[in-house]
Amino acid sequence: MASFLVRRLLQSLLILLGVSLITFVLLYALPADPVRQIAGRSATAQTVQNIREQLGLDQPLAVQYWRYLGNLLQGDLGRSYLQKTQVSTLIMSRLPASLLLMAGAIFTELLIGLTMGVIAALRRGSHADQALMIVSFVGVSAPQFVVGLLLLYVFAVQLGWFPIGGYGTFSHLVLPSLTMGILGSGWYSRMMRSSMIDVLRQDFIRTARAKGLTRRRIIMRHALPNAILPIIAMIGIDVGIFMGGIVVVESVFGWPGIGQLAWQAIQRVDIPIIMGVTLVSATAIVIGNLVADVISLLVDPRIKIR
Amino acid sequence: MKHLLTTTALVLGLALPLTLAAQTTAMDPNAKSGGGIVVTYKDDVATLDPAIGYDWQNWSMIKSLFDGLMDYAPGTTDLVPGLAESYTISDDGQTFTFKLRAGVKFHNGREMTAEDVVYSLNRVTNPKTQSPGAGFFGSIDGYDAVADGSATSLSGVSSSGPLSVTIKLSRPDATFLHVMALNFASIVPKEAVDAAGDDFGKNPVGTGAFSLGEWTIGQRLVFTKNPDYWRAGLPYLDSITFEVGQEPIVALLRLQNGEVDIPGDGIPPAKFREVMDDPAQAARVVEGGQLHTGYITLNTQMPPFDNVKVRQAVNMAINKARIVQVINGRAVPATQPLPPSMPGYTDGYAGYAFDKDAAKALLAEAGFADGFDTELYVMNTDPNPRIAQAIQQDLAGIGVRAAIKSLAQASVIAAGGEADQAPMIWSGGMAWIADFPDASNFYGPILGCAGAVQGGWNWSWYCNEDLDAMAAKADAVTDPAKADERLQMWSDIYMEVMKDAPWVPVFNEQRYTMKSERMGGADALYVDPVSIPINYDYVYVNDVQ
Amino acid sequence: MTAATKKLSGTLAPDTIAVLQVCDLTVSVNTETGLKPLISNIDFSLARGETLAIAGESGSGKSITSLAIMGLLPPPAVRVTGGQIFFGDTDLITLPETRMRDIRGNRIAMIFQEPMTSLNPVMSIGNQLTEAIMAHDPISRKEARACALQALSAVRLSQPEKRMTQYPHELSGGMRQRVMIAMAIALRPDVLIADEPTTALDVTVQREVLDLLRDLQRDMGTAMILITHDMGVVAEMADRVLVMQSGQMIEQGPVRQVFQAPAQEYTRSLLAAVPRMGDGSGVNNRHEIGAPIAEIRDLSVQFDIRGGILGRVSHQIHAVEKVSFSIRAGETFALVGESGCGKSTIAKAMAGLVPYSGQIRIAGSEIQGLGRAATKAIRREVQMIFQDPMASLDPRMRVGDLVAEPLIIHGIGTPQERTKRVVTLFDRVGLLRDHMDRYPHEFSGGQRQRICIARALALQPKLIIADESVSALDVSVQARVLDLLRELTEEMGVAYLFISHDMAVVENISDRVGVMYLGQIVEMGTRAQVFGNPQHPYTRRLIAAVPVPDPTHDRPSSTRLTGEIPSPIRRIGDMPSAVNLTDKGGGHLVAEFDHHH
């Protein structure tokens, strides 16, 4: 186990290094010039040149990247071009909110998605199954912006059950988690349904029935644990999908997470922030996959650590 | 001869009605002190450092935390002295002597002195500060030496006593007092800047009506009333809470729910009609002009736009009234670069009227009877692509086939800064909003030769040496008595520009500020031309005792 | 109802107590065109302590019968549409599900064909056993575990305590089937239904399991329904046999009677098709045997297992270890052995599908290190036929195109010539011309295997590698395919490398035989040498394990086989010792062995 973890961590570092290099190259290949964003409209060529030199942006790309890596190793993500603040400060002040939302969203999507998937699989071909799959299809295809606003309008404005956006208490977390969770639950219910149907066809389910077990026990003890195995690996991938949706949902609900930070930074070509958020997101994805692998390892006796 | 000016306003250009001037001193008799308001924004506040902050969101916030030597009368474009009690201008118009108010205290309790003024101007022009506004101070003696790093202080700025500052210019500059009213010219205390280092933008200390109470990144900022504010009785509000990260549409819902007082990003376009059609809500919307023009640039160095007839034809081809409809009528059609509320606007000028046939004829005259293919660059956020489509249709009406290039803001700006890349750009989302209410502000960087350089903002690459000379001449007119004469010169300049037609001025956006029922104060405060969305120092709430 | 009751009294022998009575049972499936019977009018009774074999080929309905008794027919499409099943006095068909559940696994237990997939992979063996016990017996978990342990001991599983904590994947197929049996007998059921319990097992393991079942049944007095396609298993195990075909009961009677004097034509043909193993002296093939077409020298194949932080190779699976043999033109050389012995790996190496060391020469040229064109030329000479024809035929292509495909790949002939060739091939393998436009799913298993053979023949290869090509087929179909293969040798002189686990089939088709064990050949010689005079203990063990389709055959009871085959996974540097083959005369090569083993 230890050797597996060490190996995976080394791999993860390589992945992160790759991500940082690719992002760096892409950002500097952009036609937009960050210096002009900083210097403003009234800047003279002299001012622009001064700023370029101060930020080291006049150096060759390789030199800039090497410097960035050097600072990164010391835990320094640099300073925002436009906010002039430490990127690490900006990210750390927002990361807890995003992680909380992620936890809430994953909980919600698993709760809704797995339940729906199991019910649909058990009643395969019935009206309930068809209805659930239509719901999940809507969940998958509905834009999160619209879903978020709809939930906000119904449950916060009309019914007043939850606050209209914001951050701080549990009730603030419900609607954003639900918005993110509806998309995910659509995916999970479909995957769970097909996985469950697959497992229900397996010989060991027939064995369990031949043993004279109750339907409930067959589903809970035999079908579910097996059907859920392929889903676990998806949770790791899901972290990546989540990072995509976070920008929209955070902005609808005024959730102070890193998605909004990233969005603003992209608008303003604030490269140090974009780099920082990308690396943090990549780290989250890498960790998410690692956690999913470790869970699979713990629950599936067939997977051997090599 | 020296003009001695007291607290009565100095006015450039506009005939100042006395009633307005009175507002600067006279308090609103209905105003109540106390209470707090909630303002929402989508984006987090980037910085509150007055030398750095240069977006319309933090512009008004910084204005309430800091003061400069000059200021504007609330709700107007009228210059009034700020931290300066009075000032004198030398006969040649190149030496300004400011007498500072006594007893003005920074938020940290220390009294402001002339040294702080000198420090602040040196700081903003120092390249290390990386101020986007440094260029505004280009007319101060010694600016060039500071800009190229060979000096660390402006030779033209000196204190002549604890409450007296003298500023020498290297050339006459009629806009200089406006420059001194810019946020960039705000007075900051050296010890606070030194203590905060690069993080001064997060720990601002000024002399303004409010001080920063709390800043939770990504969530909220709280401004609290400065009890020692030098304008006695102001501000009225005890606190302002800025909640950031709020989608405009959600902010509107919260306003309707009584949780928000001002949606800082305005009424979302999708909800505009709904709000305006509801009399109860429409009553709480204040409409006003703003110093904005939306325009299409025609690259005068790229064929066929190097032909003035083609540019004029395009001007005639655009149906501006229809484009205004695309944005729900939230603008007025424009005829010239200057917006109507800007001093120097040419009244009675009709511009190029919408006339497809005349446009076609002109195009044929230029040798393009069958039209031509071109590209229209546009920023990719709503409603700009829709506006671009309307423009595309209008162009198709005269046979010009324009392909729309919808790109991120920074990419469009970059394309505009290249001489041979973008034949046409729709300015929406990046358009010029005046830094200060002076006619000259619409010329230099965006129509003058100085801006027609690589990385510049003159996306038409229009460079008319004669007009540049006229502009220089106009801005050398520093005698307040000749202000009207100067404005006429500017009016002439813009009329000449229109003959060459490097732009198609399309519309001037109107401002619509929505407020909660409890908010009080003159409507002008809610469409203040220099404080967007509102002038925080003068508004109040009605539900306090 | 009255008719059924009458029949019931008619079949019941007065001196036997029937524990299970199936009367006039009909099971139907709901299709778009209405109810379609899968089995109809099945009648039999099972006496206490008796073994009844239900024999038949695939599709005969024997498994449906057993599932109907268990109440496990797949709902809602398949259901009982007539008849009764009496367990004692209880009619199981009308029994509510909750009461049926009490009987299932408790009084009537079942063992399934696939031991590899019939156990829950993420539940420990112990839990799966105790769960079955506790579902019926209101006892504590501790008592249930004791009971489970007892059952594991009863099925002669080594280290039963350790097995309790293990998961299915840690056990071999034979061990898993023992676990299944333990689960079934733990509550001492009155009836045990064994549905093809040994079909998926190697022959030596099958022997152990059959012995075990017989012993358990004798000790516990359980009545058993044994469902099988293997007439050898029927002959060895059953008291009575019921022969089924296409959902109909054909014949029922005591085993000796049915085997010696089958009353029905179908039973006769079925028994005739069963390959019988003799002493290797069977009819010799008439064809000419020519020069060597394939020569294999010191062939070794190893697969790496990586481990550690850096993913270095720490272990190797020695799948094939220094194997040498040759196949001559027109000859059928069989490789026989149990699963994992390396026989299929040799086929893959010869087809160029796995890297190897040593030499493989086809038609005189070493296939490794040839250029692209030469490799392609060699590929023409060697064709493969696999076990699962469905998996090797693209379901979206017409079979005519599938057969023509190798011709197109190798750029042979014009489209017209190719079509002509395909027609000839279809004729040759016994398919109709109008079959050419159909898709693979429209054919039966035997027909599909014929399509694969036609495709293999398209390029007129010198050697066909047939990897378990007839293993999945019913005996009657199998017999016809084997006949076809034999005819092709005689007509075209094609040589076969015939890979099989089935000793009887190998004895019937091969000219020469190599017996493989743990990646090595332990005995090799002509059919007569290997089957008539087996020398190596493993060869003897294999031959002895094969069930003989003759109820009068007296099996020597001395050789009770136990133990698992050692693992071919070895640490790096730990090389297996190469066996030494010595000629016992006439080219009969036998590996040296330890006589004490």
Side-chain angles (χ1 to χ4, degrees):
Chain A
M1 185 78 168
S3 121
F4 165 80
L5 282 177
V6 169
R7 193 149 40 90
R8 282 296 305 269
L9 285 174
L10 286 177
Q11 283 175 0
S12 306
L13 282 180
L14 273 180
I15 291 170
L16 292 178
L17 195 70
V19 167
S20 74
L21 180 61
I22 291 168
T23 319
F24 204 85
V25 171
L26 284 180
L27 284 175
Y28 284 87
L30 275 181
D33 180 0
V35 176
R36 295 189 52 213
Q37 294 273 326
I38 303 165
R41 306 181 294 197
S42 61
T44 59
Q46 174 75 50
T47 314
V48 170
Q49 188 53 31
N50 282 340
I51 293 173
R52 202 180 297 283
E53 279 166 22
Q54 282 177 40
L55 296 177
L57 292 173
D58 54 333
Q59 300 288 321
L61 185 61
V63 175
Q64 291 185 42
Y65 182 64
W66 187 246
R67 280 188 191 164
Y68 185 84
L69 270 191
N71 291 334
L72 195 63
L73 287 180
Q74 298 163 33
D76 180 6
L77 288 168
R79 267 182 186 272
S80 153
Y81 288 164
L82 295 160
Q83 305 195 35
K84 315 279 182 203
T85 311
Q86 286 286 349
V87 171
S88 49
T89 311
L90 291 170
I91 289 178
M92 287 319 291
S93 65
R94 284 168 171 273
L95 195 59
S98 283
L99 292 180
L100 184 66
L101 179 55
M102 176 153 68
I106 288 178
F107 176 80
T108 314
E109 63 195 8
L110 288 180
L111 188 75
I112 301 176
L114 298 193
T115 313
M116 273 171 58
V118 169
I119 293 172
L122 293 180
R123 289 162 204 254
R124 190 177 171 209
S126 70
H127 291 299
D129 176 22
Q130 286 169 10
L132 283 172
M133 284 306 103
I134 290 170
V135 168
S136 89
F137 182 73
V138 171
V140 168
S141 37
Q144 287 186 324
F145 187 80
V146 175
V147 172
L149 278 181
L150 206 69
L151 291 178
L152 202 63
Y153 189 73
V154 174
F155 294 104
V157 177
Q158 293 296 319
L159 297 172
W161 295 352
F162 300 103
I164 310 176
Y167 173 69
T169 67
F170 177 75
S171 64
H172 285 103
L173 179 62
V174 176
L175 291 182
S177 300
L178 203 56
T179 308
M180 300 233 47
I182 281 175
L183 174 78
S185 66
W187 290 117
Y188 280 115
S189 63
R190 284 171 167 255
M191 274 190 303
M192 190 64 191
R193 179 177 179 272
S194 61
S195 174
M196 191 78 181
I197 286 172
D198 209 44
V199 168
L200 286 173
R201 282 200 203 110
Q202 299 284 313
D203 292 333
F204 63 82
I205 295 294
R206 191 182 54 187
T207 306
R209 292 181 66 203
K211 281 198 249 181
L213 301 183
T214 59
R215 183 175 154 85
R216 185 186 167 76
R217 189 171 173 89
I218 292 170
I219 292 163
M220 300 307 288
R221 290 278 294 164
H222 292 272
L224 258 184
N226 279 286
I228 219 160
L229 289 177
I231 310 287
I232 293 172
M234 278 304 299
I235 299 175
I237 299 166
D238 199 43
V239 176
I241 299 168
F242 177 85
M243 286 294 168
I246 201 168
V247 174
V248 172
V249 176
E250 284 186 355
S251 97
V252 170
F253 289 97
W255 193 263
I258 58 170
Q260 292 211 49
L261 183 67
W263 176 244
Q264 287 170 37
I266 290 166
Q267 294 295 302
R268 299 171 188 179
V269 207
D270 202 335
I271 290 175
I273 296 185
I274 301 174
M275 281 298 295
V277 174
T278 308
L279 284 179
V280 167
S281 309
T283 309
I285 292 167
V286 163
I287 292 175
N289 278 294
L290 190 60
V291 168
D293 284 359
V294 169
I295 293 175
S296 301
L297 211 75
L298 295 177
V299 297
D300 191 341
R302 285 170 297 185
I303 304 177
K304 283 207 192 101
I305 308 162
R306 289 224 177 97
Chain B
M1 180 188 100
K2 283 187 178 181
H3 301 278
L4 182 70
L5 289 130
T6 57
T7 47
T8 343
L10 166 90
V11 188
L12 282 166
L14 272 191
L16 176 69
L18 279 170
T19 48
L20 267 181
Q23 267 190 11
T24 61
T25 44
M27 310 280 292
D28 186 336
N30 301 318
K32 296 175 181 173
S33 276
I37 60 169
V38 175
V39 181
T40 64
Y41 282 109
K42 180 174 183 333
D43 289 352
D44 200 356
V45 176
T47 176
L48 290 174
D49 184 339
I52 308 291
Y54 197 18
D55 58 57
W56 60 268
Q57 175 192 22
N58 60 23
W59 192 256
S60 59
M61 295 170 81
I62 289 169
K63 272 209 176 315
S64 288
L65 294 174
F66 295 91
D67 292 302
L69 296 182
M70 297 300 293
D71 199 355
Y72 295 95
T76 72
T77 56
D78 310 332
L79 270 172
V80 294
L83 290 178
E85 193 176 66
S86 63
Y87 56 87
T88 57
I89 305 173
S90 66
D91 290 345
D92 63 355
Q94 284 180 236
T95 304
F96 290 70
T97 307
F98 295 93
K99 182 172 184 292
L100 305 185
R101 280 175 207 283
V104 173
K105 281 182 180 166
F106 286 113
H107 298 147
N108 63 11
R110 183 173 68 75
E111 271 191 32
M112 179 206 64
T113 69
E115 284 310 314
D116 292 311
V117 178
V118 175
Y119 167 75
S120 299
L121 291 177
N122 284 336
R123 173 174 183 262
V124 72
T125 48
N126 190 323
K128 286 203 175 67
T129 311
Q130 295 183 9
S131 170
F136 289 113
F137 302 92
S139 60
I140 297 179
D141 212 15
Y143 170 83
D144 292 342
V146 174
D148 67 19
S150 58
T152 53
S153 58
L154 296 160
S155 59
V157 180
S158 57
S159 64
S160 41
L163 292 173
S164 175
V165 177
T166 307
I167 301 176
K168 285 199 180 73
L169 303 185
S170 53
R171 52 179 157 88
D173 184 0
T175 66
F176 185 68
L177 286 174
H178 279 298
V179 169
M180 296 313 286
L182 287 174
N183 281 353
F184 300 115
S186 297
I187 309 307
V188 295
K190 182 174 189 296
E191 68 277 13
V193 175
D194 288 347
D198 283 334
D199 288 329
F200 185 66
K202 290 275 182 286
N203 303 282
V205 177
T207 58
F210 292 92
S211 62
L212 178 64
E214 175 206 331
W215 187 342
T216 311
I217 291 174
Q219 296 184 44
R220 82 178 68 78
L221 295 86
V222 179
F223 282 12
T224 47
K225 176 177 182 164
N226 174 6
D228 297 330
Y229 190 49
W230 54 270
R231 283 190 175 112
L234 287 178
Y236 298 122
L237 295 171
D238 283 346
S239 71
I240 309 171
T241 304
F242 298 94
E243 295 190 358
V244 298
Q246 307 260 321
E247 196 62 36
I249 204 153
V250 177
L252 181 68
L253 287 174
R254 295 187 63 205
L255 176 89
Q256 289 163 348
N257 214 34
E259 293 176 23
V260 163
D261 295 295
I262 302 283
D265 298 302
I267 305 164
K271 288 279 176 183
F272 183 72
R273 282 266 58 96
E274 188 186 312
V275 168
M276 298 310 277
D277 291 346
D278 173 8
Q281 291 192 65
R284 288 188 276 114
V285 176
V286 183
E287 181 182 353
Q290 60 177 326
L291 303 177
H292 162 275
T293 303
Y295 48 88
I296 306 163
T297 60
L298 308 173
N299 192 326
T300 57
Q301 300 194 3
M302 285 176 76
F305 295 114
D306 55 345
N307 185 330
V308 67
K309 284 180 181 160
V310 173
R311 300 198 297 264
Q312 287 169 341
V314 169
N315 260 285
M316 290 177 197
I318 305 298
N319 185 345
K320 297 169 186 173
R322 197 167 70 97
I323 295 175
V324 168
Q325 280 169 16
V326 170
I327 56 164
N328 283 326
R330 298 170 66 147
V332 291
T335 57
Q336 54 190 296
L338 289 187
S341 47
M342 180 70 97
Y345 179 80
T346 311
D347 281 315
Y349 172 68
Y352 292 94
F354 174 53
D355 186 343
K356 250 171 36 174
D357 296 333
K360 272 190 204 159
L362 208 53
L363 213 53
E365 235 178 274
F368 294 98
D370 297 328
F372 53 88
D373 292 297
T374 185
E375 283 175 340
L376 174 63
Y377 281 64
V378 57
M379 185 178 151
N380 57 7
T381 55
D382 191 70
N384 298 307
R386 287 190 291 130
I387 293 173
Q389 281 168 13
I391 295 169
Q392 187 184 37
Q393 280 175 30
D394 287 343
L395 291 174
I398 61 164
V400 174
R401 297 164 297 275
I404 293 177
K405 299 261 272 186
S406 181
L407 305 170
Q409 183 189 49
S411 305
V412 180
I413 292 174
E418 299 293 330
D420 54 357
Q421 212 169 326
M424 305 175 81
I425 300 175
W426 161 244
S427 74
M430 309 154 290
W432 198 256
I433 297 179
D435 298 304
F436 51 83
D438 185 83
S440 66
N441 196 243
F442 266 80
Y443 183 78
I446 48 178
L447 283 166
C449 295
V453 291
Q454 205 224 345
W457 289 77
N458 185 344
W459 299 337
S460 294
W461 292 80
Y462 173 67
C463 176
N464 185 332
E465 308 276 358
D466 296 343
L467 291 185
D468 263 24
M470 271 175 81
K473 210 173 131 200
D475 278 356
V477 179
T478 55
D479 185 348
K482 292 182 181 163
D484 284 342
E485 198 177 307
R486 172 171 175 268
L487 283 181
Q488 188 53 52
M489 291 168 78
W490 272 113
S491 171
D492 294 345
I493 291 170
Y494 288 115
M495 288 303 103
E496 287 302 313
V497 168
M498 283 316 291
K499 278 182 198 157
D500 284 341
W503 282 10
V504 182
V506 178
F507 56 60
N508 304 109
E509 267 177 30
Q510 292 287 92
R511 266 170 67 192
Y512 297 85
T513 307
M514 196 165 178
K515 56 178 182 171
S516 67
E517 226 159 333
R518 59 200 280 263
M519 294 214 59
D523 273 359
L525 297 173
Y526 292 90
V527 287
D528 191 304
V530 287
S531 287
I532 299 172
I534 64 170
N535 190 321
Y536 298 116
D537 299 1
Y538 290 86
V539 297
Y540 54 88
V541 288
N542 290 314
D543 56 355
V544 288
Q545 63 286 15
Chain C
M1 186 60 98
T2 44
T5 322
K6 236 183 265 166
K7 253 192 176 167
L8 186 142
S9 54
T11 41
L12 219 151
D15 56 336
T16 40
I17 313 143
V19 59
L20 190 77
Q21 182 88 24
V22 174
C23 310
D24 206 20
L25 181 69
T26 301
V27 174
S28 306
V29 63
N30 239 339
T31 62
E32 282 163 12
T33 53
L35 277 180
K36 194 184 135 212
L38 293 172
I39 55 170
S40 43
N41 312 104
I42 305 296
D43 259 306
F44 65 85
S45 71
L46 185 67
R48 202 166 287 283
E50 184 191 32
T51 299
L52 171 74
I54 302 181
E57 297 185 296
S58 53
S60 62
K62 50 193 196 300
S63 287
I64 291 286
T65 311
S66 64
L67 290 175
I69 297 168
M70 286 299 280
L72 291 178
L73 290 172
V78 181
R79 59 196 160 90
V80 174
T81 49
Q84 291 99 18
I85 300 170
F86 285 103
F87 175 66
D89 298 330
T90 321
D91 184 358
L92 297 180
I93 288 164
T94 53
L95 208 59
E97 171 63 19
T98 44
R99 288 199 48 210
M100 186 66 213
R101 204 185 288 141
D102 291 338
I103 291 177
R104 217 185 269 147
N106 186 11
R107 302 327 317 149
I108 307 178
M110 190 161 175
I111 311 164
F112 298 98
Q113 177 176 358
E114 301 83 7
M116 305 310 279
T117 54
S118 289
L119 289 168
N120 185 342
V122 301
M123 212 168 160
S124 71
I125 301 297
N127 282 343
Q128 297 194 50
L129 270 163
T130 44
E131 163 187 75
I133 294 162
M134 289 173 76
H136 300 289
D137 246 359
I139 53 173
S140 72
R141 173 160 291 274
K142 209 177 147 196
E143 287 170 305
R145 286 192 81 80
C147 183
L149 206 56
Q150 212 181 344
L152 284 181
S153 307
V155 297
R156 299 186 213 129
L157 205 56
S158 60
Q159 298 172 281
E161 290 89 353
K162 185 183 164 197
R163 305 300 172 213
M164 292 284 279
T165 60
Q166 281 181 316
Y167 287 89
H169 71 276
E170 297 170 83
L171 271 52
S172 70
M175 290 160 85
R176 287 190 215 182
Q177 197 61 304
R178 282 166 198 269
V179 171
M180 286 297 292
I181 295 170
M183 214 184 281
I185 58 142
L187 292 164
R188 296 186 163 262
D190 299 315
V191 178
L192 179 63
I193 303 174
D195 186 355
E196 304 270 11
T198 57
T199 306
L201 302 177
D202 278 324
V203 62
T204 57
V205 183
Q206 163 172 304
R207 164 65 35 218
E208 294 165 31
V209 171
L210 290 177
D211 289 347
L212 171 68
L213 278 174
R214 200 171 32 222
D215 294 353
L216 285 171
Q217 191 210 11
R218 195 186 52 221
D219 297 348
M220 297 166 73
T222 310
M224 181 157 76
I225 298 175
L226 181 66
I227 289 161
T228 183
H229 70 284
D230 187 333
M231 297 313 276
V233 172
V234 173
E236 277 195 15
M237 300 287 292
D239 300 316
R240 284 192 304 127
V241 61
L242 188 157
V243 181
M244 286 185 75
Q245 186 201 12
S246 314
Q248 305 288 332
M249 236 170 76
I250 299 295
E251 186 167 0
Q252 185 177 182
V255 166
R256 280 180 189 240
Q257 183 194 318
V258 171
F259 270 70
Q260 277 160 11
Q264 300 295 324
E265 177 56 37
Y266 176 71
T267 316
R268 271 196 288 278
S269 66
L270 189 66
L271 285 168
V274 174
R276 274 157 220 270
M277 204 171 60
D279 55 3
S281 60
V283 190
N284 266 319
N285 294 332
R286 285 164 299 182
H287 52 267
E288 295 287 310
I289 289 178
I293 180 74
E295 293 168 279
I296 280 79
R297 289 282 165 274
D298 291 334
L299 175 70
S300 295
V301 179
Q302 280 126 26
F303 300 109
D304 294 342
I305 296 176
R306 290 168 191 280
I309 294 176
L310 299 169
R312 282 209 201 100
V313 177
S314 61
H315 290 73
Q316 280 185 322
I317 302 171
H318 293 259
V320 178
E321 190 62 33
K322 295 238 160 73
V323 166
S324 304
F325 61 89
S326 63
I327 305 169
R328 284 172 294 173
E331 182 185 45
T332 301
F333 178 77
L335 277 175
V336 67
E338 296 183 286
S339 50
C341 70
K343 56 192 191 300
S344 289
T345 309
I346 291 180
K348 285 184 190 142
M350 288 175 71
L353 301 174
V354 289
Y356 61 88
S357 60
Q359 278 186 347
I360 300 177
R361 295 169 75 85
I362 305 281
S365 359
E366 167 60 48
I367 63 169
Q368 200 151 249
L370 286 178
R372 190 178 288 253
T375 304
K376 202 171 168 182
I378 291 287
R379 287 264 163 85
R380 280 185 63 173
E381 307 294 349
V382 182
Q383 292 293 316
M384 282 192 88
I385 314 169
F386 298 92
Q387 172 167 9
D388 183 356
M390 198 59 199
S392 42
L393 296 173
D394 184 337
R396 281 174 297 268
M397 276 174 81
R398 290 173 213 277
V399 295
D401 297 336
L402 280 166
V403 172
E405 201 181 21
L407 297 170
I408 297 168
I409 291 171
H410 287 270
I412 296 167
T414 64
Q416 289 79 14
E417 284 166 3
R418 285 200 284 261
T419 311
K420 233 179 106 189
R421 174 106 184 98
V422 172
V423 168
T424 320
L425 287 167
F426 266 58
D427 284 347
R428 186 59 209 88
V429 299
L431 293 167
L432 302 175
R433 280 168 204 217
D434 54 343
H435 283 163
M436 284 170 61
D437 290 332
R438 297 198 192 163
Y439 290 90
H441 70 266
E442 298 175 66
F443 295 89
S444 68
Q447 285 174 317
R448 280 182 213 141
Q449 202 57 290
R450 284 168 195 271
I451 295 165
C452 289
I453 292 169
R455 185 166 61 169
L457 288 172
L459 294 169
Q460 292 176 294
K462 293 201 173 70
L463 175 66
I464 290 179
I465 301 172
D467 188 357
E468 300 279 9
S469 304
V470 296
S471 306
L473 305 176
D474 282 324
V475 278
S476 55
V477 181
Q478 188 180 53
R480 289 195 290 274
V481 173
L482 288 174
D483 284 343
L484 172 65
L485 290 178
R486 211 175 280 125
E487 287 161 27
L488 293 172
T489 333
E490 283 157 19
E491 283 171 31
M492 307 180 176
V494 59
Y496 293 107
L497 172 59
F498 194 87
I499 291 167
S500 181
H501 71 281
D502 189 328
M503 300 296 283
V505 167
V506 165
E507 208 233 310
N508 273 275
I509 192 162
S510 61
D511 297 311
R512 288 196 306 126
V513 182
V515 180
M516 283 195 78
Y517 178 72
L518 267 185
Q520 307 197 4
I521 288 180
V522 294
E523 183 159 1
M524 180 160 62
T526 63
R527 177 176 52 163
Q529 286 167 339
V530 172
F531 284 91
N533 182 23
Q535 291 292 310
H536 196 274
Y538 181 69
T539 315
R540 291 183 181 173
R541 197 169 127 180
L542 277 181
I543 292 171
V546 179
V548 180
D550 177 5
T552 60
H553 174 80
D554 207 13
R555 176 169 299 282
S557 56
S558 56
T559 49
R560 176 140 292 162
L561 300 151
T562 48
E564 295 282 321
I565 295 173
S567 166
I569 301 175
R570 288 168 167 270
R571 282 186 179 284
I572 281 288
D574 175 18
M575 295 299 285
S577 53
V579 295
N580 233 341
L581 292 170
T582 45
D583 195 336
K584 299 279 174 186
H588 187 182
L589 301 173
V590 180
E592 285 171 7
F593 55 90
D594 181 359
H595 286 273
H596 303 289
H597 183 65

